[in-house]
């Protein structure tokens, strides 16, 4: 795309280039920063939104990567400015980073709006940072390009290759079953996460950075590059260079994020066997663009998109294997008939041009169409009288014999109740029981924490059972696995049917039929509904109170009700 803007058409010109006292002061304060006029006047200002902090191990290398981005910006004739924003650390932040995704989205939008920024580099990767940064950039709609932090190195335990999250849950279950001791767990603790970068399984982080690439918001091939690879450093500098060109071209998210782009992102998530969390995040992102992406779109795509990435938790391999096998462009080259090749991307080339020369270098990691990991996509959307507005299950990561199951409910009211009673010797549980967790949704959680992979009771584990049907209005980590029905909507906290379930009620899960039903007469449910009282909020002030008042349900993307769409907020007055 040819350059279109003249220097005086740059957004930053309103801060720096006019003959007003405010513009004079902006120039004077820039001299205070130690910069001469030649270094920034008439050049695109590139805001580098950095989500680094010292308690986010996924992003701990972002101090250095920000410098690499700056190098690229200077090379292309731009003026880089680093703008720190909230770092959402999946590893440490409580009660859940999902509580703060919308806060980072708001900060991203307002940071870009309030400063003299012509284009933005969005530095993220740890689960919620990717959708949050993109949601904010979509609503502000200035030129923006995403820089994924990259997956960490594979884990290792005494010669066994490990995947973060997935193998923690597996070994923890073995520990509770009495199969492994403390020496093994100590070695696991030191070997599971060996470098900077996000989870190297196809968890939420890998899923969402891959989605960002398919949407056209990254350089081609960026999502799978390992965080510690020299290729990641080169990609960061190239991202900085491209951001400068995007500023001159005025290439905005609204030009790139079409309905076809979101349809292709859904296809990619399913072919990857990606995280269930992608459903919530992609719906929220699409709504920011005014695109009506729904649960039904995911389910319809799932019936025709095969799972080709043999990656944990659904498969065998890890993200470095995926990168060396050709990465996301290679996988997409095997589903081109399901994609929209002519749409634009931040690269300046069409989506199809970016993957035209891609090759698969390892058929074990990226399966051929005739030998998929699963004939259907990795997610299924369920409906029924227990989930009128839908629920999701990652059925490729569950025991097949549980995908059509009827069993008696065993109900827990919140995570504390679950942890207090799950190993009670008097708990009436069998492998056929359906474990139900409520009070863990967007408002009830609060924040819809990743509690949906309910732990199995110790005595069930010791009997050799490793999976049971579990149902909740919570989410689960993308690295998790099992027959876990998630995102039940409406949630129990607002009076959804999950609030009416009682111990012993028969629940039927039928993934093939896409059904989740509670076998209780409607008259009895009506009686229970009349007796139900809504729980109070845990928040009395601050951001939590804002969250409680405005959060939408899972099927609507869990955005705030006042944030959908773009525009509506005026450009700041710089005169």
């Amino acid at each position: 795309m040819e350059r279109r803007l003249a220097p005086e058409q740059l957004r930053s010109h309103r801060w720096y280039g006019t003959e007003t006292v405010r513009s004079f002061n902006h120039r004077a304060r820039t001299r205070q920063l130690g910069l001469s006029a030649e270094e920034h006047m008439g050049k695109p200002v590139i805001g580098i939104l950095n989500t680094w902090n010292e308690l986010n191990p996924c992003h701990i290398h972002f101090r250095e990567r920000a410098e690499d981005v700056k190098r690229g910006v200077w090379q292309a004739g731009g003026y880089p400015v680093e703008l720190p924003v909230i770092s959402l650390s999946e590893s440490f932040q409580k009660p859940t980073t999902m509580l703060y995704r919308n806060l980072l989205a708001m900060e991203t939008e307002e940071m870009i709006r309030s400063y003299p920024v012509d284009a933005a580099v969005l530095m993220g990767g740890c689960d919620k940072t990717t959708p949050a940064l993109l949601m904010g950039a979509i609503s502000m709609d200035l030129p923006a390009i995403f820089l994924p932090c990259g997956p960490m190195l594979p884990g290792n335990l005494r010669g066994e290759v490990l995947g973060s999250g997935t193998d923690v849950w597996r070994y923890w279950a073995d520990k509770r079953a009495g199969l492994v001791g403390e020496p093994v767990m100590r070695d696991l603790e030191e070997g599971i996460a060996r470098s900077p970068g996000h989870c190297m399984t196809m968890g939420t982080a890998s899923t969402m950075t891959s989605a960002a690439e398919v949407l056209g918001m990254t350089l081609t091939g960026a999502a799978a590059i390992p965080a510690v690879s020299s290729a990641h450093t080169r990609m960061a500098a190239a991202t900085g260079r491209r951001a400068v060109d995007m500023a001159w071209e005025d290439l905005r998210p609204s030009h790139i994020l079409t309905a076809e782009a979101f349809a292709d992102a859904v296809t990619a998530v399913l072919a990857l066997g990606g995280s269930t969390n992608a459903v919530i995040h992609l719906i929220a992102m699409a709504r920011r663009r005014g695109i009506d992406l729904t649960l039904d779109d995911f389910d319809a795509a799932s019936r025709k998109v095969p799972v080709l990435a043999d990656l944990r938790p659904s498969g065998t391999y890890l993200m470095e294997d995926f990168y060396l096998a050709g990465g996301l462009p290679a996988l997409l080259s095997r589903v081109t008939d399901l994609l929209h090749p002519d749409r634009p991307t931040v690269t300046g080339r069409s989506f199809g041009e970016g993957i035209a020369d891609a090759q698969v270098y390892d058929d074990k990691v990226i399966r051929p169409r005739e030998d998929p990991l699963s004939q259907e996509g990795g997610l299924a959307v369920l409906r029924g009288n227990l989930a009128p507005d839908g629920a999701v299950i990652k059925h490729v990561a569950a025991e097949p014999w549980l995908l059509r199951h009827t069993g008696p409910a065993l109900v827990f009211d919140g995570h504390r109740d679950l942890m207090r009673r799950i190993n009670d010797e008097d708990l009436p549980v069998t492998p056929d029981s359906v474990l139900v967790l409520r009070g863990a949704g967007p408002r009830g959680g609060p924040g819809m924490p990743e509690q949906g992979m309910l732990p199995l009771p110790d005595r069930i584990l010791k009997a050799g059972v490793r999976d049971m049907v579990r149902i909740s209005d919570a989410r689960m980590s993308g690295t998790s696995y099992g027959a876990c029905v998630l995102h039940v909507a409406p949630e129990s906290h607002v009076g959804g049917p999950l609030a009416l379930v009682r111990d012993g009620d028969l629940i039927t899960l039928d993934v093939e039929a896409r059904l989740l039903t509670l076998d209780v007469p409607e008259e009895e449910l009506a009686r229970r509904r009349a007796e139900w009282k809504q729980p109070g909020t845990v928040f009395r002030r601050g951001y939590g109170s804002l969250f409680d008042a405005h959060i939408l349900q899972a099927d609507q993307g869990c955005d705030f009700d006042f944030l959908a769409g773009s525009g509506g907020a005026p450009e700041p007055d710089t005169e």
Side-chain angles (χ1 to χ4, degrees), residues 454-471:
L454 281 67
L456 274 56
D458 285 352
R459 71 173 183 268
I460 296 292
L461 291 170
K462 289 175 181 177
V465 177
R466 286 295 183 272
D467 200 3
M468 295 174 63
V469 174
R470 288 157 276 182
I471 299 173

Side-chain angles (χ1 to χ4, degrees), residues 20 69-70 74 108 115 173 185 238 282 311 495 498-499 509 511 518:
T20 64
V69 174
K70 291 177 188 177
W74 288 121
T108 298
Y115 278 96
M185 297 306 292
L282 284 172
L311 301 173
L498 205 63
L509 166 66
V511 173
L518 178 64

Side-chain angles (χ1 to χ4, degrees), residues 65 68 71 219 221-222 224-239 323:
R65 289 298 176 274
D68 298 324
R71 172 164 55 93
L219 297 182
I225 302 173
V228 296
S229 170
S230 61
H232 197 271
T233 303
R234 297 192 298 273
M235 182 270 292
T239 298
Y323 171 65

Side-chain angles (χ1 to χ4, degrees), residues 113-188:
R113 187 192 321 282
S114 59
Y115 278 96
V117 171
D118 297 303
V121 174
L122 312 170
M123 298 180 63
C126 189
D127 294 17
K128 310 308 175 295
T129 59
T130 300
L133 290 164
L134 289 172
M135 287 163 67
I138 290 167
S139 289
M140 183 53 202
D141 200 31
L142 285 179
I145 183 170
F146 185 75
L147 191 155
C149 71
M152 68 175 89
L153 292 175
N156 191 279
L157 174 64
R158 301 179 178 184
E160 179 190 359
V161 176
L162 299 176
S164 55
T166 302
D167 288 312
V168 170
W169 318 136
R170 178 169 64 89
Y171 269 95
W172 197 257
D174 285 349
K175 169 183 161 64
R176 292 175 58 215
L179 300 178
V180 299
E182 287 305 319
V184 170
M185 297 306 292
R186 282 197 301 272
D187 288 352
L188 177 68

